[in-house]
């Protein structure tokens, strides 16, 4: 691999003011409000910092919803892959895929599974698997103490009753038993049976209430499963090893175990996931472009009901609409028809070629510069397509960005013939596993960004099922666990998640004069530029607005185009 050199500075063109559009979530006209800019180029670090301030890209268009005024606030959401444990519904999807690959079995039921087919109840149930190990140890310590106390209490009662029968006791030397760690050895008294009608047989364990026995069995089971030292602990309390419950060999499977479970040699199908760079397009990307586009075209026609002879509505993203809305129907039908007629009549393009152009512009083109630092992932940073190959053909494509601290999910499209595999959920789980894989080589890359979480749109709440996860506070830009945010979102669709009323945006622009601008191919601070070139007083308002939205770090690194 060639030696890596620092990328060129980011170059952006900010669109002054805020724009109103039809909302793709609540369908209301002219109520979706956002700021936007065109990114001619972006370094991965700049884009990382931008999405950590609520920005998101659609092709080369980068936009930020005006959270306190837009109809459906869109909160940036990130998942913690290293602590992620699949919920019951996630496991069902993975098992469904394995059954299909191994035996060709197609699960009965809904064949139109989308990412939102999993339930929030399953996500909450899955939270129990995320309990911190330290907390588990503390709980086990308490349980162990309680259990030891109850056994000691029983022993004292037993000894008290035995004193009355000392004259009848026989001590068997062979019954002397050395107990576990921390306990002195002592003799175990074995009693001869009582005479008929003279009381209980003391050679047998004393009678105990069934409720107490159930509690003890539950404690034993919990400690055996979760504590490495449980075995010794129970021995110390006088429990012979032979009476301990056997440790389960099938510990909870990891995400990787569920995904990469070995298949039989005569498996019905073979699935392969390939990561190919989309910008700049790699040879593998170019070789598979046509096949990938055909999958997208079928996805738009069948899932989104777009006609085959025109570029789809969701392809043309000249507005700050999210890629993630599964039912997105924009207000640009007339403009799109005009555009298609123009391309066909003036440039002799076919409708199919028009579709390819828009597909390329918004799902293949990216402002992110490819970067290959020595301490980065083997594939480098930038924009990629994650292709799902089943038996030698593409059935799904996940569009992703690999950034310094995260994998950012952009979009997914798939062959509708394979809807029964719940590819929306499956691809998200694969992307989480992929993030964990990248983390092994690049430790700081440890998050999975899922785009926007829209609580006011029930169909877009499914992202909250991938836990643990955080939402970005729209005012102070700090991350807050989603569990703390949901009660507030149930009351109000717009919320400041940071509970500290004194907290402010620490990354805000503090010195606008240090904003970097590009003027006539010359990069200079805005303070210098405005002294010599600024003529329109409205320009300063736009620059200050831009600096406030992108933050101090990005405003000092990126070049803001001025003409």
């Amino acid at each position: 691999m060639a030696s890596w050199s620092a990328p060129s500075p980011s170059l952006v063109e900010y669109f002054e003011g805020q724009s109103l559009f039809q909302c793709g979530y609540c369908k209301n006209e002219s109520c979706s409000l956002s700021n936007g800019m065109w990114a001619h180029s972006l370094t991965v670090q700049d884009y990382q910092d931008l999405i950590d301030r609520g920005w998101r890209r659609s092709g080369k268009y980068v936009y930020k919803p005006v959270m306190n005024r837009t109809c459906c606030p869109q909160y940036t959401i990130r998942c913690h892959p290293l602590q992620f444990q699949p919920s019951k519904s996630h496991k069902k999807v993975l098992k469904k895929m394995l059954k299909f690959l191994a035996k060709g079995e197609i699960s009965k039921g809904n064949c139109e599974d989308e990412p939102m087919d999993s339930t929030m109840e399953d996500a909450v149930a899955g939270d129990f698997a995320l309990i911190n190990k330290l907390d588990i140890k503390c709980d086990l310590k308490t349980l162990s103490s309680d259990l030891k106390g109850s056994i000691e209490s029983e022993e004292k009662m037993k000894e008290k009753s035995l004193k009355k029968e000392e004259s009848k006791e026989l001590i068997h030397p062979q019954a002397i038993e050395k107990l576990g760690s921390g306990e002195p050895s002592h003799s175990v008294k074995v009693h001869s049976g009582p005479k008929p009608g003279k009381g209980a047989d003391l050679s047998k364990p004393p009678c105990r209430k069934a409720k107490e026995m159930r509690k003890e069995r539950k404690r034993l089971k919990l400690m055996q499963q979760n504590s490495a030292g449980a075995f010794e602990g129970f021995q110390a309390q006088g429990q012979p090893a032979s009476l301990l419950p056997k440790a389960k060999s099938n510990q909870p499977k990891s995400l990787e175990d569920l995904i990469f479970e070995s298949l039989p040699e005569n498996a019905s199908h073979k699935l392969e996931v390939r990561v190919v760079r989309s910008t700049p397009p790699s040879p593998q990307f170019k070789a598979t472009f046509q096949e990938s586009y055909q999958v997208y075209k079928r996805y738009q026609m069948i899932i989104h009901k777009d006609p085959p002879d025109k570029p789809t509505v969701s392809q043309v993203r000249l507005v700050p609409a999210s890629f993630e809305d599964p039912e997105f129907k924009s207000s640009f039908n007339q403009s799109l028809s005009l555009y298609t007629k123009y391309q066909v009549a003036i440039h002799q393009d076919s409708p199919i070629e028009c579709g390819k152009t828009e597909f390329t512009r918004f799902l293949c083109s990216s402002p992110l510069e490819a970067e290959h630092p020595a301490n980065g992932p083997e594939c480098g940073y930038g924009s990629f397509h994650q292709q799902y190959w089943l038996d030698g053909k593409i059935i799904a494509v996940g569009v992703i960005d690999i950034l310094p601290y995260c994998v950012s999910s952009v979009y997914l499209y798939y062959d509708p013939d394979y809807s029964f595999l719940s590819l929306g959920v499956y691809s998200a789980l694969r992307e989480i596993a992929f993030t964990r894989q990248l983390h092994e080589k690049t430790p700081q890359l440890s998050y999975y960004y899922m785009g926007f979480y829209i609580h006011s749109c029930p169909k877009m709440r499914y992202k909250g099922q991938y836990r643990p996860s955080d939402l970005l506070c729209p005012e102070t830009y700090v991350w807050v666990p989603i569990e703390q945010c949901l009660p507030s979102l149930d009351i109000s669709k717009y919320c400041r998640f940071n509970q500290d009323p004194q907290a402010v945006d620490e990354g805000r622009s503090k010195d606008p004069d240090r904003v970097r601008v590009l003027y006539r191919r010359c990069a200079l601070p805005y303070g210098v530029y405005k002294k010599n070139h600024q003529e329109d007083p409205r320009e300063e308002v736009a620059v200050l607005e831009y600096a406030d939205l992108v933050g101090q770090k990005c405003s000092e690194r990126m070049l803001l185009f001025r003409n």
Side-chain angles (χ1 to χ4, degrees):
M1 180 182 296
S3 60
W4 178 77
S5 58
S8 302
S10 301
L11 177 60
V12 299
E13 195 169 353
Y14 179 68
F15 301 143
E16 181 183 355
Q18 298 165 346
S19 302
L20 281 169
F21 302 97
Q22 181 191 26
C23 179
Y25 305 105
C26 67
K27 310 303 180 184
N28 289 334
E29 296 285 344
S30 301
C31 63
S32 179
L33 190 66
S34 66
N35 296 99
M37 59 187 177
W38 188 264
H40 297 277
S41 66
L42 278 178
T43 66
V44 291
Q45 184 60 60
D46 284 340
Y47 186 52
Q48 176 74 69
D49 290 339
L50 285 174
I51 62 175
D52 285 337
R53 291 184 65 82
W55 291 83
R56 185 154 173 80
R57 79 173 184 88
S58 178
K60 289 191 174 184
Y61 182 74
V62 188
Y63 62 99
K64 183 180 188 300
V66 183
M67 300 291 283
N68 61 343
R69 294 176 58 196
T70 193
C71 55
C72 296
Q74 302 163 54
Y75 299 92
T76 302
I77 182 172
R78 72 176 186 184
C79 173
H80 296 253
L82 304 185
Q83 291 80 39
F84 174 80
Q85 290 288 346
S87 66
K88 290 182 179 179
S89 60
H90 295 152
K91 291 177 182 178
K92 287 179 182 178
V93 171
L94 295 175
K95 290 177 181 178
K96 179 165 54 176
M97 175 65 79
L98 287 173
K99 288 181 180 179
F100 173 72
L101 296 177
K103 303 177 182 179
E105 293 183 6
I106 298 177
S107 300
K108 297 180 180 179
N110 183 15
C111 291
E112 297 297 331
D113 288 339
E114 282 290 296
M116 58 285 289
D117 62 354
S118 301
T119 62
M120 186 63 73
E121 287 74 16
D122 281 340
V124 175
D127 286 346
F128 290 105
L130 305 176
I131 298 174
N132 187 280
K133 290 183 179 180
L134 180 60
D135 294 334
I136 290 177
K137 290 180 180 178
C138 292
D139 292 341
L140 288 176
K141 184 177 181 180
T142 303
L143 287 171
S144 178
S145 177
D146 292 343
L147 181 59
K148 184 176 180 179
S150 65
I151 292 178
E152 288 177 351
S153 176
E154 289 180 9
E155 288 293 335
K156 288 180 181 179
M157 293 179 63
K158 181 178 177 181
E159 289 177 3
K160 189 175 181 179
S161 63
L162 292 181
K163 288 180 180 179
K164 298 178 181 180
E165 302 291 336
E166 283 184 355
S167 59
K168 302 176 183 178
E169 293 171 353
L170 295 176
I171 299 178
H172 294 258
Q174 66 271 23
I176 295 177
E177 180 182 13
K178 187 174 181 179
L179 301 180
S181 59
E183 294 287 336
S185 58
H186 63 276
S187 59
V188 178
K189 298 175 181 180
V190 180
H191 306 276
S192 59
K195 294 180 179 179
K198 294 294 184 180
D201 186 350
L202 297 179
S203 64
K204 297 181 180 180
C207 296
R208 299 174 62 188
K209 292 183 178 180
K211 184 176 181 180
E212 291 180 358
M213 295 175 69
R214 287 197 300 270
K215 285 184 177 180
E216 183 173 330
R217 284 198 298 268
K218 187 174 182 179
R219 288 170 177 168
L220 288 170
K221 185 177 180 180
L222 180 62
M223 293 184 70
Q224 184 67 20
Q225 292 179 355
N226 295 285
S227 175
F231 182 81
E232 295 179 0
F234 285 120
Q235 280 191 317
Q237 294 162 11
Q239 297 290 335
S242 60
L243 299 180
L244 291 174
K246 294 183 179 180
K248 291 185 177 181
S249 58
N250 56 337
Q251 293 297 321
K253 291 184 178 180
S254 68
L255 177 62
E256 287 77 9
D257 291 336
L258 293 167
I259 291 176
F260 302 111
E261 185 173 319
S262 59
L263 298 172
E265 293 183 1
N266 60 343
S268 299
H269 301 284
K270 178 183 178 182
L271 179 68
E272 180 184 2
V273 179
R274 303 177 189 174
V275 178
V276 298
R277 183 178 290 278
S278 56
T279 305
S282 65
Q284 297 88 346
F285 179 83
K286 292 178 180 178
T288 58
F289 175 85
Q290 184 63 34
E291 184 173 357
S292 179
Y293 169 66
Q294 292 301 326
V295 174
Y296 175 76
K297 184 179 176 182
R298 293 199 72 236
Y299 174 79
Q300 292 298 130
M301 289 169 53
I302 298 176
I303 302 299
H304 294 296
K305 315 304 179 186
D306 287 326
D309 59 345
K310 75 176 184 70
T312 62
V313 172
S314 57
Q315 288 167 336
V316 180
R317 296 285 179 169
L318 302 179
V319 295
S322 172
F323 264 133
E324 298 140 349
D325 179 11
E327 300 179 26
F328 181 76
K329 296 297 178 184
S330 72
S331 61
F332 294 100
N333 288 331
Q334 293 182 354
S335 297
L336 185 58
S337 298
L338 181 63
Y339 169 80
T340 303
K341 291 178 181 178
Y342 173 82
Q343 292 295 116
V344 173
I346 304 300
H347 297 290
Q348 283 74 51
D349 286 342
S350 68
I352 293 178
E353 290 304 317
C354 290
K356 284 185 181 179
T357 300
E358 300 309 318
F359 166 74
T360 301
R361 181 180 298 174
F362 296 104
L363 285 180
C364 304
S365 297
S366 167
L368 299 184
E369 299 289 336
E371 300 181 29
H372 293 85
N375 61 345
E378 293 183 6
C379 59
Y381 297 117
S383 297
F384 299 83
H385 279 197
Q386 203 166 35
Q387 301 173 339
Y388 294 76
W389 289 78
L390 180 68
D391 301 333
K393 71 173 184 177
I394 298 176
I395 65 165
V397 176
V399 183
I400 60 172
D401 294 328
I402 301 178
L403 304 175
Y405 306 126
C406 73
V407 169
S408 175
S409 178
V410 179
Y411 194 59
L412 172 81
Y413 57 94
Y414 56 85
D415 187 335
D417 289 345
Y418 296 91
S419 294
F420 63 88
L421 290 174
S422 301
L423 291 171
V425 177
Y426 183 78
S427 65
L429 297 174
R430 289 295 298 246
E431 288 171 5
I432 290 174
F434 181 57
T435 305
R436 287 156 67 142
Q437 178 186 347
L438 296 178
H439 172 79
E440 295 179 3
K441 171 73 164 52
T442 311
Q444 71 271 18
L445 202 163
S446 55
Y447 295 104
Y448 174 57
Y449 284 49
M450 297 176 281
F452 287 137
Y453 174 82
I454 303 97
H455 193 76
S456 58
C457 180
K459 288 187 177 181
M460 295 304 294
R461 294 182 184 179
Y462 68 90
K463 294 179 184 179
Q465 300 170 28
Y466 299 86
R467 299 194 184 179
S469 58
D470 308 315
L471 296 183
L472 186 68
C473 177
E475 296 182 9
T476 61
Y477 302 110
V478 296
W479 295 99
V480 180
I482 193 171
E483 293 85 355
Q484 298 179 24
C485 304
L486 294 180
S488 299
L489 289 173
D490 286 336
I491 299 173
S492 173
K493 62 183 180 181
Y494 173 75
C495 300
R496 170 192 166 108
F497 300 136
N498 194 328
Q499 298 301 311
D500 182 1
Q502 305 300 321
V504 296
D505 171 18
E506 297 294 341
R508 67 189 184 280
S509 176
K510 303 177 181 67
D511 187 359
D513 284 349
R514 296 175 62 181
V515 173
R516 292 185 73 194
V517 301
L518 181 68
Y519 178 71
R520 293 183 177 178
R521 299 185 180 182
C522 180
L524 65 161
Y526 175 66
V528 175
Y529 165 80
K530 70 179 180 179
K531 289 180 180 179
N532 302 313
H533 306 289
Q534 181 171 297
E535 299 177 358
D536 187 348
R538 293 178 301 176
E539 185 175 18
E540 183 168 9
V541 175
V543 172
L544 293 177
E545 183 179 78
Y546 158 82
D548 183 61
L549 291 169
V550 303
Q552 187 69 27
K553 289 190 296 183
C554 283
S555 69
E556 292 184 17
R557 289 196 307 253
M558 302 193 302
L559 293 175
L560 176 63
F561 179 76
R562 312 312 297 160
N563 55 22

